[in-house]
Amino acid sequence: MAHHHDEEFRLHEGEFDELNRKYDRRRFLTKTSLGLGALALGGLWAGTDMFASSTKKVNSPNIEEDILAALPHIAPKAKRVVYLFMSGGPSQFETFDYKPKLYNMLGQDLPDSVRGNQRLTGMSASQSRFPIAPSLYKFNAHGQSNTMISELLPHTAKVVDELCIIKSMYTEHINHDPAITFFQTGHQLPGRPSIGSWVSYGLGSDNQNLPSFIVLVTKNGGGQPLYSRLWGNGFLPTKHQGVQFRNGKDPVLYLNNPENYDGADRREMLDYLNKLNSLQADYYGDPEVDAKLAQYEMAFRMQTSIPEVMDMSNEPDEVFELYGKDSREAGTFAANCLMARKLLEKDVKFVQLYHQDWDHHAGLPSGIQSQCQKVDQGCAALVTDLKRRGLLEDTLVIWGGEFGRTVYSQGKLSPENYGRDHHPRAFSMWMAGAGVKAGISYGETDDFSYNIIKDPVHVHDFQATLMHLLGIDHERFTFKTQGRRYRLTDLSGKVVKGILT
């Protein structure tokens, strides 16, 4: 009898072990707070259109599920985004912020009342003087809006009536890494999801054969380094990290089959792998297993879709002429702009282009002239091409860097040569397309483009506005991890209604 009771106790003990394996604290938190990843993936691979998700049943037991089910919060103006990121901090003085009074102030000291107690970088803090450096380049009025644009951007000037130029951007971060991380993820420290990952997570994909978030980096870029964490998924399911497309025979690493391995072999391997992973998912309840399964399946479909979208042979000569001669060379900024248009046509949700080498502490006149020549025609062509194909009306185009530059010269100043240090308190960027007013300039800086005097726009305001155009209320769109709810805009940010149609 005692032996029977011992057996019964061991049986219950085994059952408890099983429960512990499935519902220990870590796995319980995973199943509840992170279980949204499995839900989102299930919806994606079932062909769910997240834009039509307003008909879904809300009030589920999991608040994360309710958050996704409620999207979109408002009628979206934009279905897709292309973000042209100019890494290094382009100077507003040589691009969009015309300051004519400076031309008669060459070499004069910047008034202390203008600079105030704003902090400086270690690169110019030890300067005994802060001599004013007017732009070496001329500005002219363009378009029906009579917008002043630098002579360095003749192609952009032709599409200025499509642009909303924000001249009053500002940030708190004065060095590159925290500033670019802040722009891309909403926080200066690494580890948060990028904008594209948030968009992918919330809105899913309209093309099941391509990633919803794709990254293109100009080849042979110099200046400040770029890190893959800038398009990483952070604490969101790994399915939503950006996928970098590269130039060359393997646009996506490890996508092609090994030698002597065909599509049928790959399909059979995936089927067996799915069975094993499904068993593991049932046992552990970890949504990352589902995410990995989804990535394998996406990679299998991409083996067919990637060669098609990367093929430029069907583009007519006039398209290459529109984007410029560099567009025929894979990996250039112009070629990436053309590739972005092709991806947007395929309904990729978020396309991010990175172009480096805008960090001109010295030799700025020649340095910025070179960079403008590399990007000017491609940017203008992308806007033109999207408009003539009927895509601009529901595609949001963004151009800008992580901060601006100082009015004073860093280092030696001459009429023909100067440099500019980082300046986070006032800089320019532009937006165009879906839901944004065309042909306007928003915000205003003082005569030295050092302080904002009208309509300031913080980085979180920009992010909130981007999400708003996609139909997302940035304050309601959160993800719980490590005991608190996070959002792209952290604890601030407001929609910039003055730029919206």
Side-chain angles (χ1 to χ4, degrees), residues 281-301:
D282 290 341
Y283 187 78
Y284 289 105
D286 188 344
E288 281 301 306
V289 178
D290 295 326
K292 185 63 68 176
L293 279 168
Q295 288 174 308
Y296 284 139
E297 292 294 336
M298 170 63 79
F300 182 71
R301 295 194 295 275

Side-chain angles (χ1 to χ4, degrees), residues 76-323:
K77 295 289 185 70
K79 290 184 177 180
R80 60 196 78 83
V81 176
V82 55
Y83 191 165
L84 313 173
F85 195 89
M86 306 292 116
S87 175
S91 168
Q92 68 273 27
F93 296 95
E94 280 72 26
T95 52
F96 299 106
D97 204 4
Y98 178 50
K99 296 300 174 185
K101 291 185 179 181
L102 298 180
Y103 289 111
N104 297 321
M105 300 182 71
L106 174 67
Q108 296 182 26
D109 286 336
L110 178 67
D112 291 341
S113 60
V114 174
R115 185 163 60 87
N117 60 359
Q118 293 183 32
R119 65 178 178 147
L120 307 175
T121 74
M123 293 168 284
S124 62
S126 60
Q127 288 186 195
S128 59
R129 295 182 59 227
F130 298 94
I132 291 172
S135 174
L136 186 63
Y137 298 100
K138 297 178 181 178
F139 278 63
N140 295 290
H142 293 274
Q144 293 182 353
S145 57
N146 287 317
T147 302
M148 300 297 287
I149 300 292
S150 168
E151 62 180 317
L152 293 177
L153 300 169
H155 295 280
T156 301
K158 294 178 182 178
V159 297
V160 70
D161 285 337
E162 301 295 338
L163 309 184
C164 170
I165 301 173
I166 304 174
K167 298 181 179 180
S168 53
M169 289 297 307
Y170 74 99
T171 182
E172 290 86 12
H173 306 291
I174 201 169
N175 290 313
H176 293 286
D177 194 294
I180 190 173
T181 303
F182 188 60
F183 241 109
Q184 298 298 281
T185 71
H187 197 268
Q188 65 175 321
L189 298 178
R192 301 282 184 92
S194 61
I195 298 176
S197 294
W198 278 111
V199 172
S200 171
Y201 172 71
L203 300 179
S205 175
D206 295 326
N207 184 335
Q208 304 303 322
N209 297 318
L210 288 169
S212 55
F213 177 21
I214 293 175
V215 173
L216 303 168
V217 179
T218 304
K219 68 177 183 179
N220 303 325
Q224 296 297 321
L226 293 172
Y227 306 99
S228 59
R229 60 176 169 77
L230 295 174
W231 49 91
N233 58 293
F235 45 68
L236 295 177
T238 54
K239 157 75 179 74
H240 304 292
Q241 68 182 340
V243 177
Q244 184 179 353
F245 281 21
R246 307 162 189 264
N247 60 297
K249 66 175 184 178
D250 293 318
V252 179
L253 297 180
Y254 314 116
L255 185 65
N256 292 332
N257 290 323
E259 189 176 354
N260 300 320
Y261 201 78
D262 61 23
D265 295 327
R266 174 61 65 94
R267 181 68 266 169
E268 184 179 19
M269 180 272 289
L270 285 179
D271 289 343
Y272 280 109
L273 189 62
N274 284 346
K275 292 178 181 179
L276 291 173
N277 283 331
S278 294
L279 291 173
Q280 188 176 29
D282 290 341
Y283 187 78
Y284 289 105
D286 188 344
E288 281 301 306
V289 178
D290 295 326
K292 185 63 68 176
L293 279 168
Q295 288 174 308
Y296 284 139
E297 292 294 336
M298 170 63 79
F300 182 71
R301 295 194 295 275
M302 285 167 61
Q303 288 185 329
T304 301
S305 62
I306 293 298
E308 177 190 356
V309 77
M310 298 295 289
D311 183 10
M312 296 287 191
S313 62
N314 292 328
E315 295 292 335
D317 288 341
E318 65 93 11
V319 169
F320 290 108
E321 292 169 4
L322 176 66
Y323 284 85

Side-chain angles (χ1 to χ4, degrees), residues 33-34 64 235 479-486:
S33 65
L34 299 183
E64 250 69 5
F235 45 68
F479 188 93
K480 186 175 182 180
T481 184
Q482 296 181 333
R484 62 160 281 196
R485 296 200 171 277
Y486 291 85

Side-chain angles (χ1 to χ4, degrees), residues 5 41 64 132 160 179 191 213 326 357 366 376 403 427 465 477:
H5 283 302
L41 288 163
E64 250 69 5
I132 291 172
V160 70
F213 177 21
D326 287 350
D357 211 11
S366 60
D376 177 40
F403 44 53
F427 59 101
T465 305
F477 185 42

